[in-house]
Amino acid sequence: MANSDNDVLLIYDNSSPRFSFINVDPLALERSLRPSLGLDSPPFSYNQTFLLTRNSTAPGEGGGRTRGFSFEFEGMSFALFGQFSPTMRDRALHGQFFVSPPLSEGRHNLMFEVAEEWKIYLMLDYAVVTGGQKGQYNKAALVVMDDGTSEEVFYWGQWTPRTFGLETLNIPIYLPHQNNTRRTTTIGTGFRFRFSGTSIQVYGVKDMDRPGAYNLTWILDDGGLQGVTYRVSAQEASDNTSKFAAPEYHPHWPMMSFSSLEPMVHTLTVNLTYIEGETQGFIFDYMAYQPTFSFGWEAVVQVVGVGSVQ
């Protein structure tokens, strides 16, 4: 999903009221959209919710029914994330499967329908919208900030960027957001992010292929330091290796969340302070925050420079 550095990208989970579902079993929908959050859960989807369109209601007399969903949004383009393939056996990678062409700024409605007799496999995870300058953002809108954003996220220390490309076509893997991550195994490495919002969530990748642990310190503004240890046991790694032949298999891992913040500019500082196991490490993917601005033209790039890092 191509975008300029000044674009505001908004992320909408499949549980957002902007999605409406057609002929989908209500019980299956409820189970699919029920999150299972926690550091001990093996995530692979945003907010750990997903929807299979094959969980549809039975067709009526004469058949000919369709199943699917609609997505209403305000912006200039959008992308859908999840899995989409012609059959259950021929599953595609879990990642971006549809991107729209550039659209006129305004309100749009996508209709995605599949005939009942078609065996198309669709797992709907989330959508990302390129917001316009005039559209008004409601309280459900979250701005998504990828790890590849250069101006608004300042990195120091030793990071190893990784972009997932065509080599992933031959292995079962759930792709991280925008197909890229940053990884570090060096103590003292970290990043700082400045944003204008009332809440923020940070997501990483849980590397279930390698046992070990690491500790991150989190500082929001001038508040106290929070230290959190993230661990993968040898048993977890062994179980994962026996089931999946892919490292870095679990993206969308909720690592830290700050809520009920004052509507102002905040600064988040993250630092790697401890690591156990040579192959374990902190893999950063993206952040999502609730903005204080209501329109795209009110968004201000909060640049974090070298001089602001203590």
Side-chain angles (χ1 to χ4, degrees):
M1 183 176 180
N3 56 278
S4 69
D5 292 338
N6 295 325
D7 287 337
V8 176
L9 300 181
L10 307 172
I11 188 168
Y12 295 96
D13 187 42
N14 51 18
S15 58
S16 167
R18 290 182 177 269
F19 285 99
S20 299
F21 300 96
I22 306 165
N23 294 334
V24 174
D25 181 4
L27 292 179
L29 178 62
E30 181 182 356
R31 288 193 299 268
S32 296
L33 302 184
R34 185 183 302 145
S36 176
L37 300 177
L39 294 176
D40 296 329
S41 303
F44 63 87
S45 61
Y46 175 61
N47 279 348
Q48 301 191 37
T49 63
F50 60 90
L51 175 70
L52 298 175
T53 57
R54 62 185 175 88
N55 293 331
S56 59
T57 55
E61 293 185 11
R65 298 214 322 169
T66 59
R67 52 191 163 87
F69 65 89
S70 65
F71 176 56
E72 184 178 356
F73 67 96
E74 193 165 5
M76 300 184 296
S77 66
F78 72 96
L80 297 176
F81 293 78
Q83 285 180 293
F84 178 78
S85 59
T87 66
M88 284 288 293
R89 293 183 178 181
D90 186 27
R91 293 192 184 183
L93 297 175
H94 188 104
Q96 179 178 297
F97 67 86
F98 180 84
V99 60
S100 75
L103 305 171
S104 59
E105 182 172 350
R107 187 172 296 274
H108 303 276
N109 188 61
L110 165 73
M111 294 291 296
F112 188 100
E113 294 183 344
V114 178
E116 285 288 346
E117 59 269 19
W118 292 1
K119 303 301 181 181
I120 287 178
Y121 177 87
L122 170 65
M123 177 187 287
L124 176 64
D125 190 357
Y126 63 99
V128 172
V129 172
T130 303
Q133 296 297 304
K134 301 176 182 178
Q136 186 171 8
Y137 306 149
N138 58 26
K139 294 183 179 180
L142 289 175
V143 176
V144 61
M145 192 65 58
D146 187 56
D147 69 283
T149 304
S150 57
E151 284 190 336
E152 296 178 75
V153 183
F154 176 77
Y155 298 94
W156 66 86
Q158 299 182 24
W159 290 93
T160 302
R162 179 178 179 183
T163 299
F164 293 78
L166 295 177
E167 76 281 356
T168 59
L169 294 177
N170 297 320
I171 58 176
I173 189 171
Y174 293 101
L175 294 172
H177 180 61
Q178 300 289 43
N179 297 352
N180 56 67
T181 61
R182 288 177 187 255
R183 182 186 190 125
T184 182
T185 58
T186 304
I187 293 176
T189 296
F191 71 85
R192 177 165 288 181
F193 174 58
R194 186 168 291 153
F195 66 100
S196 180
T198 56
S199 69
I200 187 169
Q201 297 82 40
V202 181
Y203 296 86
V205 174
K206 190 172 186 179
D207 190 347
M208 297 289 289
D209 196 57
R210 302 176 173 96
Y214 59 92
N215 183 274
L216 297 177
T217 58
W218 304 80
I219 303 176
L220 185 68
D221 301 327
D222 296 325
L225 180 150
Q226 297 186 45
V228 181
T229 299
Y230 306 87
R231 182 178 300 276
V232 174
S233 68
Q235 184 62 52
E236 285 180 302
S238 176
D239 292 344
N240 182 72
T241 302
S242 64
K243 296 177 182 179
F244 310 109
E248 301 183 2
Y249 192 78
H250 301 287
H252 305 289
W253 188 25
M255 304 193 71
M256 179 55 72
S257 177
F258 296 92
S259 59
S260 302
L261 304 177
E262 291 293 327
M264 55 182 284
V265 175
H266 300 278
T267 301
L268 175 65
T269 304
V270 186
N271 197 32
L272 178 66
T273 57
Y274 167 82
I275 189 165
E276 172 188 314
E278 295 181 358
T279 56
Q280 189 55 256
F282 170 37
I283 307 173
F284 172 50
D285 193 2
Y286 65 99
M287 297 173 284
Y289 69 92
Q290 172 69 57
T292 57
F293 50 86
S294 299
F295 299 90
W297 58 267
E298 295 178 330
V300 177
V301 176
Q302 304 292 338
V303 178
V304 181
V306 177
S308 64
V309 177
Q310 300 176 352

